[in-house]
């Protein structure tokens, strides 16, 4: 099964062979049907994107779920996203939150951000700001810009963490440096507002 999965990957990436998504999808399905979680997740991705096979969200979800139930972190995140987007025929926001948490615990940065978002908003799970801050920190440590922004707001107003305006400014500067000017400027404005510097806040809000 491993060899079959690798053939699919080589065709997808064009590694030693001419890139051919039809062949990539064919070999991914061969391996997926034999129970390989990596191939099941890859096949789900091909079906979702229409790579080498007609786009089919229902089938994509079926394969993501098979891989997710085997503990594949990427599939767990992908399944959570499909449920969130309403592309799964079954599944609730609470289930999406659970898949994001499982994926986050395996170290996937986008899942860490997502579960942080759900915990902050009380979406599909009990609202827990300190826990949200923990996951945003993990995602930020892996370079997720929106996690820097959300965590910076927490440090600005002391939600879930001890208020630390210098840390807030540092985090929002990282957002700006990463090219996300709209969020970075908004985050800077909020930090200045929490610092009582309303003139600076207004300047950033108008940026």
């Amino acid at each position: 099964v491993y060899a079959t999965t690798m053939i699919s990957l080589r065709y997808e990436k064009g590694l030693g062979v001419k890139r051919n998504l039809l062949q990539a999808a064919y070999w991914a399905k061969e391996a997926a049907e034999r129970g390989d979680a990596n191939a099941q997740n890859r096949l789900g991705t091909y079906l979702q994107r229409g790579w080498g096979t007609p786009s089919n969200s229902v089938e994509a979800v079926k394969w993501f779920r098979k891989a997710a139930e085997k503990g594949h972190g990427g599939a767990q995140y992908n399944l959570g996203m499909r449920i969130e987007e309403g592309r799964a025929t079954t599944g609730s926001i609470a289930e999406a939150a659970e898949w994001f948490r499982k994926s986050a615990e395996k170290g996937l940065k986008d899942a860490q951000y997502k579960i942080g978002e759900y915990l902050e908003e009380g979406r599909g799970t009990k609202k827990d700001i300190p826990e949200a801050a923990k996951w945003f920190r993990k995602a930020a440590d892996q370079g997720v810009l929106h996690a820097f922004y959300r965590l910076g707001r927490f440090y600005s107003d002391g939600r879930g963490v001890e208020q630390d305006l210098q840390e807030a400014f540092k985090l929002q500067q990282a957002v700006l440096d990463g090219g996300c000017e709209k969020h970075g400027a908004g985050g800077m404005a909020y930090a200045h507002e929490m610092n009582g510097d309303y003139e600076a806040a207004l300047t950033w809000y108008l940026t």
Side-chain angles (χ1 to χ4, degrees):
V1 178
Y2 175 76
T4 308
T5 303
M6 290 308 297
I7 292 171
S8 172
L9 180 62
R10 290 173 73 85
Y11 274 115
E12 178 189 336
K13 304 294 185 183
L15 301 173
V17 295
K18 184 177 180 180
R19 188 169 189 255
N20 186 324
L21 292 177
L22 284 171
Q23 285 294 314
Y26 171 82
W27 288 107
K29 188 173 183 181
E30 286 286 307
E33 289 176 341
R34 292 163 66 185
D36 184 82
N38 286 320
Q40 290 170 341
N41 183 56
R42 183 170 292 113
L43 180 58
T45 300
Y46 294 165
L47 286 159
Q48 189 64 51
R49 297 178 179 177
W51 285 6
T53 184
S55 179
N56 188 325
S57 291
V58 173
E59 279 292 297
V61 168
K62 181 186 83 173
W63 288 108
F64 285 143
R65 188 176 292 281
K66 285 180 181 289
E69 289 172 350
K70 288 185 172 73
H72 191 286
Q76 290 168 341
Y77 172 75
N78 288 331
L79 179 57
M81 287 301 301
R82 300 295 84 77
I83 293 171
E84 179 184 278
E85 294 164 357
R87 298 188 185 188
T89 55
T90 61
S92 63
I93 289 298
E95 185 188 353
E98 188 58 29
W99 287 120
F100 287 140
R101 187 185 296 276
K102 288 177 184 292
S103 181
E105 288 169 350
K106 291 181 172 64
L108 276 76
K109 60 183 181 181
D110 291 332
Q112 290 171 342
Y113 175 77
K114 267 294 179 183
I115 192 59
E117 186 180 67
Y118 274 43
L119 285 160
E120 180 184 0
E121 298 171 1
R123 190 178 181 196
T125 187
K126 184 178 179 181
K127 188 171 185 176
D128 188 333
I129 301 301
E131 186 72 3
K134 182 190 84 172
W135 286 112
F136 285 144
R137 172 59 73 182
K138 287 179 182 290
D141 287 346
Q142 295 199 71
V144 179
L145 284 180
H146 281 79
F148 281 93
Y149 168 73
R150 295 252 191 167
L151 192 58
R153 289 182 68 88
F154 285 176
Y155 277 105
S156 293
D157 58 25
R159 286 183 301 139
V161 295
E162 185 175 346
Q163 187 179 38
D164 185 338
L165 290 165
Q166 291 308 308
E167 180 68 8
F169 288 130
K170 184 175 77 172
L171 288 163
Q172 300 301 353
Q173 186 60 53
V175 178
L176 291 167
D177 292 343
C180 195
E181 294 183 6
K182 180 179 179 180
H183 283 89
M188 279 291 196
Y190 187 66
H192 279 293
E193 187 176 344
M194 293 299 100
N195 196 33
D197 190 341
Y198 300 110
E199 185 175 346
L202 180 59
T203 299
W204 279 107
Y205 278 130
L206 294 174
T207 298

